[in-house]
Amino acid sequence: MNRIFGIILLLVCLSCPADAKIFARKQNSTINYEFDQTKLNEQMPEQFKSPDVPDVPYEEVLEGNVENTEDFVDDDNDDDLLEVEEALPENSDFSEQKPHEEESFFRKIFDIEGNIEAEFSLFDNFNLDKNNDNKIDEDTFLGKIIHKDIIRTDVPSYLLKDELTFRPKKTFVSKVQYFATYQGSLSSLWTTGDYDTSYDIGFLQVGAIGKFRNSKNDFKILFNPRPVSNRTYMQNFIADAYIVNNSIPHHKIVVGYSRNQVGKEGGSSSYILPFVTRSQIARNFGSTRALGVRLIGNYSLMDYNLALNSSDRYFHTIFAGPEFTGWVDFKPFGRTDGRIGKLILGGGINAGHNKTSYTVGNFYIGYKYKRLWTNVEYGIADGYNGTRVSTDRAEGFNYTIGYKIHPRVQLIARYDQFDPNRDVRNNTKREYTAGINYFIKGQALRLILNYVFCDNQNSSDSHRIILGTQILL
């Protein structure tokens, strides 16, 4: 029996593509295999010893007493022995297969035989806990997300930034990061004698940011694959498409289709907004994109954003008319390193012609100190060019306050007033909003709860509870 066991073991060794890596790792590695105790007391017969294996007593190899295996290390392959072990036939699950059962012709062609197998076969290799310690391993896909710690919430962050960042070797792009974003909200609306529940998609986008090789130029491209009812699919498909030049110190030159800085909140990224919906002046005057050239300056005491654009929105026409958008932020505490907080005094104008002339002015004050932040913004328009062109003379303002009771939990509240037409009386709309942000992974994974009471002078009042989810991959 011992001779037969030795022959079988030799055949198994010869059948491996690289027998050295079954018996050895790199220098100073230890080999451990479990065999029957009766086999450990016997040496391999001389006639079955491999000429490539050092003359070491067989029981010492089996018991793991060989510490230096430099003589038979495969330097071309640094696979871990655990991976080799898992690939061996004896470690595979063939318990349900009969000893002499052969696969049928159709089984060889069609691996999945039925709907049940197709549905539940994904659990066969569902093993997140490789170490059997009831913990999700960090090297798994889910483990990388769970163990990633993101605290900062004032900038967008992405769960799979490292995994989706690539550095091509021979292309005109030296670095590129792909990403996908989603925000959805479940809303319950109460009005006088009516109740309604709906699910709305705030944004569903895919895109990429990158750097051109051997240049100071970056780029961003962003797509909206979700159609909307009031625009054609291609009009809404492109969200961002621009190139950024960084040649001038403290400046960026942006060329292409980018977000227009109409108001402070109206020009902010959707990924960092504190509430599910923007304020009323941001919804009406801003939150738009335009095709043109933009100059962005950034200094310790002042920022500015100046743009010459086409007044067209969503590619309705090649050139609808000229437009100028300018915004300036003054930062009086910009050189105090945040010891007394951050104060921003800002203002801007958006003026142009798109079938009719329009002018919008905005003023902003914002202050942030440690976990507390607050701001107020006022906007006034003599016609405006937001998601639609309007000749109405509108105005509005909002006040917002937020406080982080925990690095991941933020309480927020806002008072928002908007008069859609100053020439019409008793049509003011007021929104009172209170909410909670739970930053599971910064802005990359966030839960949002908002309560909104709408006080409308010329229509029914309403109450709304909104539960939102945000994911940035």
Coordinates of all heavy atoms in Angstrom, one line a residue, residues 154 300-301 331-344 366-372:
D154 N -17.4 68.2 1.8 CA -17.5 69.4 1.1 C -17.1 69.2 -0.4 O -17.2 70.2 -1.2 CB -16.7 70.5 1.7 CG -15.2 70.2 1.8 OD1 -14.9 69.0 1.8 OD2 -14.4 71.1 1.9
S300 N -6.0 83.4 -2.3 CA -6.3 83.2 -0.9 C -7.4 84.1 -0.4 O -8.2 83.8 0.5 CB -5.0 83.4 0.0 OG -4.5 84.7 -0.2
L301 N -7.5 85.3 -1.0 CA -8.5 86.3 -0.5 C -9.6 86.5 -1.6 O -10.6 87.2 -1.3 CB -7.8 87.6 -0.2 CG -6.8 87.6 0.9 CD1 -6.2 89.0 1.1 CD2 -7.5 87.2 2.2
K331 N -12.9 86.5 0.3 CA -12.6 85.7 1.5 C -11.8 86.4 2.5 O -10.6 86.3 2.5 CB -11.9 84.4 1.0 CG -12.7 83.6 0.0 CD -12.0 82.4 -0.5 CE -10.8 82.7 -1.4 NZ -10.2 81.5 -1.9
P332 N -12.5 87.2 3.4 CA -11.7 88.1 4.3 C -10.9 87.3 5.3 O -9.8 87.8 5.7 CB -12.8 88.8 5.1 CG -14.0 88.7 4.2 CD -13.9 87.4 3.4
F333 N -11.3 86.0 5.6 CA -10.5 85.2 6.6 C -9.6 84.2 5.8 O -9.2 83.2 6.4 CB -11.4 84.5 7.5 CG -12.4 85.3 8.3 CD1 -13.5 84.8 8.8 CD2 -12.1 86.7 8.5 CE1 -14.4 85.7 9.5 CE2 -12.9 87.5 9.2 CZ -14.1 87.0 9.7
G334 N -9.3 84.5 4.6 CA -8.6 83.5 3.8 C -7.2 83.2 4.2 O -6.6 82.2 3.8
R335 N -6.6 84.1 5.0 CA -5.2 83.9 5.4 C -5.1 83.6 6.9 O -4.0 83.7 7.5 CB -4.3 85.1 5.1 CG -4.2 85.3 3.6 CD -3.3 86.5 3.3 NE -3.2 86.7 1.9 CZ -2.5 87.7 1.3 NH1 -2.0 88.7 2.1 NH2 -2.4 87.8 0.0
T336 N -6.2 83.1 7.5 CA -6.2 82.8 9.0 C -6.1 81.3 9.2 O -6.2 80.9 10.4 CB -7.4 83.4 9.6 OG1 -8.6 82.8 9.1 CG2 -7.5 84.9 9.4
D337 N -6.0 80.5 8.1 CA -6.0 79.0 8.3 C -7.2 78.5 9.0 O -7.1 77.4 9.6 CB -4.7 78.6 9.0 CG -3.4 79.0 8.3 OD1 -3.5 79.0 7.0 OD2 -2.4 79.3 8.9
G338 N -8.3 79.2 8.9 CA -9.6 78.7 9.4 C -9.7 78.8 10.9 O -10.6 78.2 11.5
R339 N -8.8 79.5 11.6 CA -8.9 79.6 13.0 C -10.1 80.3 13.5 O -10.6 80.0 14.6 CB -7.6 80.3 13.6 CG -6.3 79.6 13.4 CD -5.2 80.3 14.1 NE -5.0 81.7 13.7 CZ -4.2 82.0 12.7 NH1 -3.5 81.1 12.0 NH2 -4.1 83.3 12.3
I340 N -10.6 81.3 12.7 CA -11.8 82.0 13.1 C -13.0 81.6 12.1 O -13.9 82.4 12.0 CB -11.6 83.5 13.2 CG1 -11.0 84.0 11.9 CG2 -10.7 83.8 14.4 CD1 -10.8 85.5 11.9
G341 N -12.8 80.6 11.4 CA -13.8 80.1 10.4 C -13.5 80.7 9.0 O -12.5 81.3 8.8
K342 N -14.4 80.4 8.1 CA -14.3 80.8 6.7 C -15.5 81.6 6.4 O -16.7 81.2 6.5 CB -14.2 79.6 5.8 CG -13.0 78.7 6.0 CD -13.0 77.5 5.1 CE -11.8 76.7 5.3 NZ -11.7 75.5 4.4
L343 N -15.3 82.9 5.9 CA -16.3 83.8 5.5 C -16.2 84.1 4.1 O -15.1 84.4 3.6 CB -16.2 85.1 6.3 CG -17.2 86.2 6.0 CD1 -18.6 85.8 6.3 CD2 -16.9 87.5 6.7
I344 N -17.3 84.0 3.3 CA -17.4 84.3 1.9 C -18.4 85.3 1.6 O -19.6 85.2 2.1 CB -17.7 83.0 1.1 CG1 -16.5 82.0 1.2 CG2 -17.8 83.3 -0.4 CD1 -16.8 80.7 0.5
G366 N -21.7 83.5 3.2 CA -21.6 82.2 3.8 C -20.5 82.2 4.9 O -19.5 82.8 4.7
Y367 N -20.8 81.4 5.9 CA -19.8 81.3 7.0 C -19.8 79.9 7.5 O -20.8 79.2 7.7 CB -20.2 82.3 8.2 CG -19.3 82.2 9.4 CD1 -18.0 82.7 9.3 CD2 -19.7 81.5 10.5 CE1 -17.1 82.6 10.4 CE2 -18.8 81.4 11.6 CZ -17.5 82.0 11.5 OH -16.7 81.9 12.6
K368 N -18.6 79.4 7.8 CA -18.4 78.1 8.3 C -17.4 78.1 9.4 O -16.3 78.6 9.2 CB -17.9 77.1 7.2 CG -17.7 75.7 7.6 CD -17.3 74.8 6.4 CE -17.1 73.4 6.9 NZ -16.7 72.5 5.8
Y369 N -17.7 77.5 10.5 CA -16.8 77.3 11.6 C -16.9 75.9 12.2 O -18.0 75.6 12.8 CB -17.1 78.4 12.7 CG -16.1 78.3 13.9 CD1 -14.8 78.7 13.7 CD2 -16.5 77.9 15.1 CE1 -13.9 78.7 14.8 CE2 -15.7 77.8 16.2 CZ -14.4 78.2 16.0 OH -13.5 78.1 17.1
K370 N -15.9 75.2 12.1 CA -15.8 73.8 12.6 C -17.1 73.0 12.0 O -17.2 72.8 10.8 CB -15.8 73.8 14.1 CG -14.4 74.3 14.6 CD -14.3 74.2 16.1 CE -13.0 74.8 16.6 NZ -12.8 74.7 18.1
R371 N -18.0 72.6 12.9 CA -19.1 71.8 12.5 C -20.3 72.6 12.1 O -21.3 72.0 11.6 CB -19.5 70.8 13.6 CG -18.4 69.8 14.0 CD -19.0 68.8 15.0 NE -18.0 67.8 15.3 CZ -18.3 66.7 16.1 NH1 -19.5 66.6 16.6 NH2 -17.3 65.8 16.3
L372 N -20.3 73.9 12.3 CA -21.4 74.8 12.0 C -21.2 75.5 10.6 O -20.1 76.0 10.4 CB -21.6 75.8 13.1 CG -22.6 76.9 12.8 CD1 -24.0 76.3 12.9 CD2 -22.5 78.0 13.9

